[in-house]
Amino acid sequence: MPRQEILDLTQQYTQPFRITKGAGFSLSDYNPDETCGVKDKSEASKLLREGIEWLAHEQDMLYAQDRWSLLLVFQAMDAAGKDSTIKHVMSGVNPQGCQVFSFKQPSQEDLSHDFMWRYSNRLPERGKIGIFNRSYYEEVLVVRVHEAILQRQKLPQSLIGANIWDERLADIAHFEDYLTRQGVVILKFFLYVSRDEQKKRFLKRLDTPEKNWKFSGTDVRERKFWNDYMRAYEEAIRATASENAPWFVVPADHRWFTRLVVAAAIVEAVERLELTYPRVDEEKKKELATVRAALEQET
Ligand code: ATP
Ligand code: MG
């Protein structure tokens, strides 16, 4: 498919959810239930399959070029579908070109460093796709909602001022500018699930023995802080959405639609890089010809 056709197709699913300017952003303008006219799972699956195949092809060039890398940041409330989205969207890519990291509560070693330390240690190498399942954004989300966590971060007390969250957000925005200038293409996904749908999914985890292991009482307790989390997400998106590091507020009440939007956003971003296989220079061509001759002469 020609580049422009691919972009026309992906834009249908990305443009309504992409935020590149934070000013004035409000979550109330978005609907977790949205499906952009896609009727059902089977229609979405067909498009998703095409996206996955295409991505596998592009990833090969990304790897061969060894210049750009891709950082995909996934943030969401529990049960919004981060894990399954990552599993589906990345199902076609070569595992050698892909690195997934899930960030949980920080270790003692993490807490002995600046907050970005553990994340910057895990950035993707050139040519690779890095996936952050939770990320440095937790530092302005869960840490903001539960200030007791901030107290554990061993910061000098005089640095914990009234502006600490704005300062952190500015630091994150600068960090992303820096990465962009290093050839890291950043896409940030907030899987936006509704509080009602989360409740349904938790109940399903309780009802299905195979899903019991996923159930955690802590997740349910966090529901009490839903509004605080939404406010923190809103502020994070306002302060860090940019042309270079856009946010996507992905409707997450229908898993099949979530996957489609995420796949479309990745396809689109990589397509814009206009990747090609590295060109072989004259010297290399001569070398290839010599090797061919030698191989053909083998008895
Ligand atoms: P799942 O529940 O789907 O397996 P998850 O990402 O929710 O995946 P959990 O082990 O359930 O994984 O939870 C990880 C927890 O770690 C989350 O509650 C998250 O808020 C917390 N966390 C992540 N980063 C930080 C951080 N920097 N400081 C404190 N807590 C953090
Ligand atoms: Mg969890």
Side-chain angles (χ1 to χ4, degrees), residues 2-16:
R3 178 158 288 133
Q4 195 51 50
E5 259 176 62
I6 293 175
L7 292 177
D8 289 345
L9 183 63
T10 54
Q11 269 163 13
Q12 288 176 41
Y13 305 109
T14 57
Q15 199 265 333

Side-chain angles (χ1 to χ4, degrees), residues 57-225:
H57 168 70
E58 290 287 306
Q59 183 208 14
D60 203 44
M61 287 192 277
L62 191 78
Y63 192 82
Q65 277 202 345
D66 202 14
R67 294 292 182 272
W68 297 101
S69 60
L70 213 61
L71 175 62
L72 310 176
V73 169
F74 287 88
Q75 286 292 156
M77 298 299 280
D78 276 290
K82 283 185 283 109
D83 292 6
S84 75
T85 303
I86 293 168
K87 182 168 112 185
H88 280 83
V89 174
M90 304 312 286
S91 59
V93 306
N94 179 351
Q96 284 206 74
C98 194
Q99 300 159 321
V100 188
F101 295 103
S102 298
F103 294 99
K104 315 266 178 186
Q105 276 97 345
S107 68
Q108 283 309 315
E109 191 185 17
D110 296 332
L111 292 173
S112 299
H113 294 86
D114 61 283
F115 82 73
M116 206 49 106
W117 180 77
R118 67 169 177 160
Y119 310 99
S120 57
N121 272 336
R122 291 178 170 69
L123 290 168
E125 295 161 31
R126 296 193 188 280
K128 296 207 176 175
I129 301 178
I131 294 172
F132 280 5
N133 183 350
R134 301 189 188 271
S135 67
Y136 43 85
Y137 280 97
E138 291 293 334
E139 306 291 336
V140 290
L141 296 166
V142 70
V143 185
R144 185 172 191 168
V145 170
H146 299 288
E147 290 216 26
I149 303 179
L150 182 66
Q151 293 305 325
R152 274 181 243 135
Q153 294 195 337
K154 299 199 204 171
L155 284 166
Q157 200 58 38
S158 63
L159 297 183
I160 305 182
N163 294 329
I164 186 160
W165 306 114
D166 290 338
E167 289 164 2
R168 279 195 178 197
L169 286 166
D171 291 338
I172 289 176
H174 286 142
F175 180 66
E176 291 181 341
D177 284 343
Y178 159 76
L179 292 179
T180 301
R181 289 191 267 265
Q182 282 296 306
V184 183
V185 176
I186 306 170
L187 302 177
K188 304 175 292 195
F189 299 99
F190 169 43
L191 308 192
Y192 185 30
V193 73
S194 67
R195 197 161 180 265
D196 283 349
E197 178 63 23
Q198 189 198 49
K199 181 177 166 180
K200 277 189 209 149
R201 290 182 188 177
F202 281 162
L203 287 172
K204 199 162 172 199
R205 283 181 187 181
L206 287 169
D207 290 342
T208 319
E210 295 77 26
K211 292 195 177 194
N212 279 178
W213 67 273
K214 268 247 173 202
F215 189 81
S216 142
T218 322
D219 296 350
V220 173
R221 283 191 287 279
E222 287 302 281
R223 282 170 62 77
K224 282 202 217 78
F225 302 98

